[in-house]
Amino acid sequence: MKNIIFNKFLLLAITLFIVSNCGISRVNYNYEHRCIGTARQGVQLVEVFSYGKTVGKAIEASKRNAVHAVLFKGLQCSDGHQPPIARDSDAEKHKAYFEEFFSSGKYLQYVTLSGDGTIDPSDRIKTDVGYKVGIDVAVNYDALRKKLESDGIVRSLNHGF
């Protein structure tokens, strides 16, 4: 009887190991964002609330999620709508590029300033599974767009005019 239970447990453990390492992205892009405004020409200020098991993990996720919002969701600012840099078709066609972009930390090159050292106590919320933390992040929109254009991921703004 113990052998049967042990074998089932072992099979379950092996299955979970294989599934968890088969290349499926486990990045959670569960976040809330809002545009605060433009810091200077080409830099967007974004307030991002992200989740993490620790405050530090939530802060790092907020930086990643700010870039993700600029890339794929766009920003609704008081001075108008800032459309997403990449369309859904770009994201699907270049999925490997974006997975490597985020997993390698290259996105941090476009985070020019973050308020992770000065978190308002009301922006740090303890949840059942960790923390929800909100920070302000400045994302260099223009530099990010130029990089994606030079890499052939998105078309330039003057393409087709």
Side-chain angles (χ1 to χ4, degrees):
M1 183 68 172
K2 286 183 181 179
N3 271 347
I4 294 172
I5 293 172
F6 178 75
N7 288 340
K8 286 183 179 183
F9 176 77
L10 185 61
L11 182 62
L12 177 63
I14 291 170
T15 303
L16 288 175
F17 177 78
I18 291 170
V19 168
S20 67
N21 292 308
C22 69
I24 298 172
S25 177
R26 293 177 295 194
V27 175
N28 183 4
Y29 288 103
N30 181 18
Y31 63 92
E32 302 159 27
H33 73 285
R34 72 178 182 93
C35 179
I36 299 172
T38 303
R40 63 180 193 273
Q41 186 64 33
V43 177
Q44 294 294 325
L45 286 175
V46 184
E47 181 180 36
V48 182
F49 283 88
S50 299
Y51 300 87
K53 289 185 179 184
T54 66
V55 172
K57 288 185 187 275
I59 289 170
E60 288 308 308
S62 289
K63 294 174 186 178
R64 180 196 66 223
N65 292 338
V67 174
H68 187 270
V70 168
L71 277 173
F72 302 112
K73 293 187 175 186
L75 303 171
Q76 188 63 42
C77 301
S78 60
D79 57 345
H81 177 71
Q82 187 75 45
I85 294 174
R87 297 185 312 245
D88 290 338
S89 60
D90 296 328
E92 287 302 313
K93 188 164 59 168
H94 302 286
K95 185 175 182 177
Y97 176 90
F98 287 115
E99 284 180 359
E100 195 271 333
F101 178 77
F102 284 108
S103 67
S104 68
K106 289 181 182 178
Y107 68 91
L108 289 170
Q109 298 172 29
Y110 306 98
V111 174
T112 57
L113 172 74
S114 65
D116 53 353
T118 56
I119 300 172
D120 188 320
S122 65
D123 290 342
R124 181 190 300 195
I125 303 164
K126 177 84 169 122
T127 66
D128 293 341
V129 293
Y131 291 90
K132 176 181 178 182
V133 176
I135 64 170
D136 297 341
V137 181
V139 178
N140 193 333
Y141 182 93
D142 287 352
L144 180 57
R145 177 163 195 82
K146 285 178 185 172
K147 172 66 174 160
L148 294 175
E149 286 174 3
S150 69
D151 289 349
I153 304 301
V154 298
R155 292 190 291 175
S156 66
L157 290 175
N158 61 5
H159 180 79
F161 288 113

